[in-house]
């Protein structure tokens, strides 16, 4: 993305293999294209830029704010203890 190189994810390696006339392949990098296929490559490039490079939903996101069950139980227990302690303080002060 930083270098503005269009990239695309393909469902399986066999589809890429069909592109380069092999059984399977994992990565394809275009270095040269026939003039007849240049229009098709431009369409692919624009599609890749639109779907992957310029898509803000695919940017890396950190954390979802969802805690595990153990952590939730621990925090609930801690909050309950704090509430009991606050109630004792208020009762001792006569509030």
């Amino acid at each position: 993305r930083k270098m503005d190189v269009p990239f695309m994810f393909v469902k399986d390696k066999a589809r890429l293999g069909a592109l380069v006339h092999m059984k399977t392949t994992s990565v394809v990098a275009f270095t040269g294209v026939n003039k007849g296929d240049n229009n098709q490559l431009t369409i692919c490039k624009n599609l890749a830029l639109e779907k992957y490079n310029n898509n803000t939903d695919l940017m890396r996101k950190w954390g979802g704010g969802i805690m595990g069950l153990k952590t939730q139980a621990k925090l609930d227990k801690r909050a309950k203890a704090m509430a009991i302690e606050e109630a004792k303080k208020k009762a001792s002060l006569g509030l």
Side-chain angles (χ1 to χ4, degrees):
R1 288 178 193 212
K2 193 188 307 184
M3 303 293 280
D4 203 33
V5 176
F7 67 93
M8 185 182 298
F9 297 105
V10 180
K11 190 167 184 172
D12 63 31
K13 297 190 317 184
R15 289 184 185 188
L16 281 179
L19 182 68
V20 292
H21 307 293
M22 295 178 72
K23 188 173 179 181
T24 61
T25 186
S26 57
V27 178
V28 174
F30 296 109
T31 56
V33 180
N34 293 337
K35 289 189 183 249
D37 298 330
N38 201 13
N39 192 22
Q40 193 70 18
L41 179 67
T42 305
I43 292 170
C44 265
K45 182 187 113 184
N46 292 337
L47 180 69
L49 284 172
E50 179 185 321
K51 258 189 142 175
Y52 296 100
N53 285 56
N54 301 333
N55 191 351
T56 56
D57 292 336
L58 293 179
M59 296 289 182
R60 183 173 290 174
K61 297 175 187 169
W62 294 99
I66 301 169
M67 292 180 268
L69 291 175
K70 291 180 187 177
T71 306
Q72 287 177 358
K74 183 169 52 172
L75 291 177
D76 289 343
K77 186 177 177 182
R78 190 180 298 161
K80 195 180 211 182
M82 293 280 280
I84 291 171
E85 190 174 323
E86 287 293 322
K88 284 183 183 178
K89 281 184 185 179
K90 286 183 180 180
S92 68
L93 293 175
L95 296 176

